[in-house]
Amino acid sequence: QVQLVESGGGLVQAGGSLRLSCVASGNKFRIDAMGWYRQAPGKQRELVATISRTGTTNYADSMKGRVTISRDDAKNTVYLQMGSLKPEDTGVYYCKITIYRDYWGQGTQVTVSS
């Protein structure tokens, strides 16, 4: 069974940086799309960034220029490098991969203090 494990979240001051990682295991086929989503308290889950199997990326307008998504297929891993973090970036960040259907991780908490 496919399992996703996110890591790299934590507490950071405004203006700081974090790198999130998501490692997939148990997949029998190569991962198609990979992405990161976040959910702030009281808000809907929203797109942060996605990356296709060919490397095409898409970013939320609110985070363009501050985040970079990348993938390492040999390691079944997707990364999210975040910089210039703002308090409004606080939330639970979820990894999602697609292999014929979507699989979600449990999420990792990111807290940005002012």
Side-chain angles (χ1 to χ4, degrees):
Q1 185 173 350
V2 175
Q3 182 179 4
L4 304 180
V5 179
E6 300 106 326
S7 63
L11 176 65
V12 64
Q13 292 185 340
S17 301
L18 285 173
R19 189 178 79 153
L20 307 182
S21 300
C22 174
V23 181
S25 62
N27 54 302
K28 300 293 185 181
F29 303 94
R30 189 171 68 175
I31 301 168
D32 189 3
M34 309 176 97
W36 287 94
Y37 298 74
R38 71 182 182 188
Q39 187 167 20
K43 296 184 178 180
Q44 292 183 303
R45 188 174 299 184
E46 63 180 353
L47 168 74
V48 175
T50 61
I51 184 167
S52 75
R53 64 180 180 179
T54 59
T56 301
T57 58
N58 185 48
Y59 298 98
D61 289 340
S62 64
M63 302 200 79
K64 286 182 178 178
R66 300 192 294 119
V67 298
T68 300
I69 187 171
S70 61
R71 62 191 289 168
D72 186 339
D73 289 322
K75 297 181 178 180
N76 277 344
T77 301
V78 59
Y79 304 95
L80 185 71
Q81 180 69 48
M82 303 188 292
S84 300
L85 287 167
K86 306 173 182 179
E88 51 262 44
D89 294 321
T90 294
V92 179
Y93 284 68
Y94 297 91
C95 174
K96 187 189 80 173
I97 68 168
T98 301
I99 309 174
Y100 299 104
R101 72 172 184 88
D102 293 340
Y103 297 86
W104 291 88
Q106 295 182 5
T108 183
Q109 176 71 40
V110 171
T111 303
V112 184
S113 63
S114 60

